Amino acid sequence: MVDDKDMHAQDNDIARPHQQTAHRSADWAFKCYVLFSFLVMYLIGTGLIVISWVATEHGTVALVGQLYFTGGMVSIALSAIGGVLVDRHSRRTMILRSQSLRVVAAFILLAGLQDKTWLTFCLFSFTIISAAGPALSVGAMGGAFQSFFPSDRRMNVVLRLSIVGQVGFIFGTGTAGTILHIWGETACMLIFIATSIALLCLGEYFTRGMSLPPERKRRSFTDDWRDGLKYTFDSPHIGLPIIGVSLLFSVAQMTNTLVPGFVRETLHAGSDVFGVLEAAWSAGGGLVLLMSASLQRRAWKSGIEFLLLALLGAAMIGFALSKWVPLSFVLYAVMGGLFCLSRSLCNGRLLTLTDPAQIGRTQALSSMLTSTIGMTMYMLPTFVRTDDIGRYYQIWGVAIIVLGLCLAALSIRLSSRVHSRPGSVRTTRQGSASPTMRGR
């Protein structure tokens, strides 16, 4: 007869392998998440190069702005829906739907490249469908990330993941520019399609452990958004990074629109220089993030991300005044470094401080504000004509300097006010993780 002690020992022997299996499964899921993030940034880099160059080559710089303007409108409209859906429903479903739309969009643009009479229509279709996917799943990847780590570890991991993303973006922009120059647009889109299908398969794997969010009382979209806005406005430590992210992306949106024309008209160069410029942006970002990751044990003081934003504005002015290609590479790399570090710090604060139950609506609000500012950037060549493209960079660079310094002052003031009284900034519970990941 087996005594109770032996039975207990047997139970422990059985439980231990189950725990180890669950840990290995979660570890593999996160590795797939990292690879997924890499490939997403690779596709973003490839897509920016292909769309900007094809639109400029077969149309004008104004067409590039119109395409991104359309994408911004779609993003604003659908992010309002996606933010609530992500907080209500399965994040797995939203991520997979987003990737499926990316595959459909890629096939449409490939068809347009084969028949140039339909190219403009296919460019707009690609832009609309590509914007719809991320908008409907806004916050889903952030929610997935929160499920892997407790709040006190997220900032450091965000910086590391940002390096992965930058490497992906470097490969995307660099290889796309090279492939465009050697083999042409169709080859770029075939690689884009293959990578999109691989992303769909990866997403299906790492989201298997995701369950539905905790049950809560079903309410109208208006009520959900009212709660989300109240949460954001009552939390200035969340609202300031949202504004910062939007201003940072306004710089990226301006460069996406104007750099093809700047390369052709100011630097008098071709697609090879265009691709290397974009790769320099990503390389600068990756190098700065790599250096910052080595300082991960140091606290990032409040307001530093906004001071970096102001420096980015100054770098924009320098880039606009440059007429020498090697100097343009260096300044563009500096811009990329400042952009990436400041963006990572803003995103890290949002993922660290935002309640997982609010992440969809918080990131949807950030996306909507980013798209609204971006629409202005995209339509500049259409509504404000100038013979010197660099003038756009100079004017917005000055505005970025002023706004960055103002946000830095507000952030420092808020931080000093919080530390001067009992109780700290409201955040998610230390050590807690989103309940949407089983087995953690």
Side-chain angles (χ1 to χ4, degrees):
M1 181 175 179
V2 181
D3 59 22
D4 291 343
K5 186 179 293 186
D6 291 337
M7 290 288 291
H8 183 67
Q10 291 175 6
D11 289 342
N12 285 339
D13 289 340
I14 294 172
R16 192 176 296 111
H18 283 296
Q19 292 171 353
Q20 292 173 349
T21 301
H23 178 76
R24 283 196 300 268
S25 177
D27 186 53
W28 271 107
F30 178 67
K31 289 178 180 177
C32 288
Y33 176 92
V34 172
L35 181 57
F36 186 93
S37 301
F38 172 86
L39 291 177
V40 164
M41 292 304 297
Y42 175 87
L43 283 186
I44 290 175
T46 301
L48 287 176
I49 294 293
V50 173
I51 291 299
S52 298
W53 191 257
V54 169
T56 304
E57 191 73 11
H58 299 280
T60 63
V61 172
L63 176 60
V64 179
Q66 291 161 13
L67 287 169
Y68 288 128
F69 178 86
T70 302
M73 290 182 62
V74 173
S75 181
I76 291 173
L78 296 185
S79 290
I81 301 172
V84 174
L85 292 179
V86 166
D87 286 338
R88 280 185 181 182
H89 302 299
S90 168
R91 286 162 184 170
R92 166 184 167 85
T93 301
M94 305 308 295
I95 290 172
L96 295 181
R97 285 177 180 173
S98 174
Q99 298 312 310
S100 299
L101 288 174
R102 195 191 300 271
V103 175
V104 172
F107 274 109
I108 290 175
L109 183 54
L110 180 63
L113 291 173
Q114 309 313 305
D115 184 357
K116 296 298 192 296
T117 58
W118 291 91
L119 182 57
T120 301
F121 172 80
C122 290
L123 281 169
F124 277 100
S125 298
F126 176 87
T127 302
I128 292 170
I129 298 173
S130 295
L136 289 174
S137 64
V138 63
M141 287 295 289
F145 173 80
Q146 287 182 322
S147 72
F148 287 114
F149 296 99
S151 60
D152 57 346
R153 293 184 57 197
R154 290 174 193 160
M155 177 65 84
N156 291 336
V157 179
V158 165
L159 290 174
R160 294 177 185 175
L161 277 176
S162 296
I163 297 172
V164 174
Q166 280 309 114
V167 173
F169 198 78
I170 289 172
F171 275 98
T173 54
T175 58
T178 304
I179 293 170
L180 269 175
H181 187 66
I182 299 174
W183 291 300
E185 302 146 352
T186 300
C188 274
M189 287 313 301
L190 289 174
I191 295 174
F192 190 100
I193 289 171
T195 308
S196 299
I197 294 173
L199 267 176
L200 188 58
C201 297
L202 267 177
E204 199 281 331
Y205 179 81
F206 86 79
T207 60
R208 285 179 184 175
M210 289 186 178
S211 59
L212 289 171
E215 285 293 330
R216 58 192 180 94
K217 185 178 179 181
R218 181 58 59 88
R219 309 172 67 190
S220 68
F221 269 61
T222 303
D223 290 337
D224 278 340
W225 262 111
R226 186 182 297 114
D227 288 347
L229 290 173
K230 184 177 186 301
Y231 173 81
T232 302
F233 291 145
D234 288 347
S235 310
H237 56 281
I238 292 174
L240 290 180
I242 288 177
I243 296 172
V245 167
S246 301
L247 292 174
L248 284 163
F249 273 97
S250 74
V251 176
Q253 289 154 342
M254 174 174 281
T255 58
N256 292 340
T257 305
L258 300 179
V259 162
F262 187 83
V263 168
R264 295 181 62 178
E265 298 175 16
T266 303
L267 299 180
H268 307 291
S271 60
D272 53 339
V273 171
F274 174 51
V276 175
L277 260 181
E278 293 296 340
W281 172 289
S282 300
L287 180 61
V288 169
L289 289 172
L290 190 61
M291 294 171 60
S292 66
S294 66
L295 305 174
Q296 59 178 306
R297 294 188 179 277
R298 299 185 182 183
W300 293 94
K301 294 184 179 180
S302 296
I304 186 68
E305 58 268 41
F306 305 123
L307 293 176
L308 293 172
L309 173 63
L311 288 175
L312 176 58
M316 286 179 67
I317 297 173
F319 176 74
L321 297 175
S322 170
K323 301 295 187 292
W324 187 39
V325 172
L327 179 59
S328 297
F329 287 154
V330 173
L331 290 172
Y332 213 58
V334 171
M335 289 171 62
L338 293 169
F339 168 83
C340 291
L341 181 55
S342 183
R343 181 199 62 186
S344 296
L345 291 175
C346 287
N347 285 336
R349 295 200 196 280
L350 287 175
L351 290 173
T352 298
L353 301 174
T354 303
D355 184 345
Q358 300 280 350
I359 190 66
R361 282 161 289 178
T362 299
Q363 293 205 342
L365 182 61
S366 177
S367 176
M368 292 164 68
L369 182 58
T370 298
S371 296
T372 300
I373 297 176
M375 287 164 62
T376 304
M377 299 296 106
Y378 296 146
M379 295 307 291
L380 276 177
T382 301
F383 294 122
V384 182
R385 304 272 183 178
T386 178
D387 294 331
D388 183 8
I389 292 180
R391 189 65 56 83
Y392 296 116
Y393 287 104
Q394 295 172 31
I395 294 173
W396 192 237
V398 172
I400 289 293
I401 291 173
V402 173
L403 293 170
L405 292 175
C406 289
L407 287 174
L410 288 172
S411 179
I412 294 171
R413 181 180 179 184
L414 174 65
S415 178
S416 62
R417 184 183 301 173
V418 168
H419 289 120
S420 66
R421 65 170 182 262
S424 59
V425 177
R426 182 179 60 190
T427 184
T428 56
R429 294 189 304 273
Q430 293 289 326
S432 68
S434 172
T436 60
M437 196 73 179
R438 293 196 298 264
R440 294 292 298 173

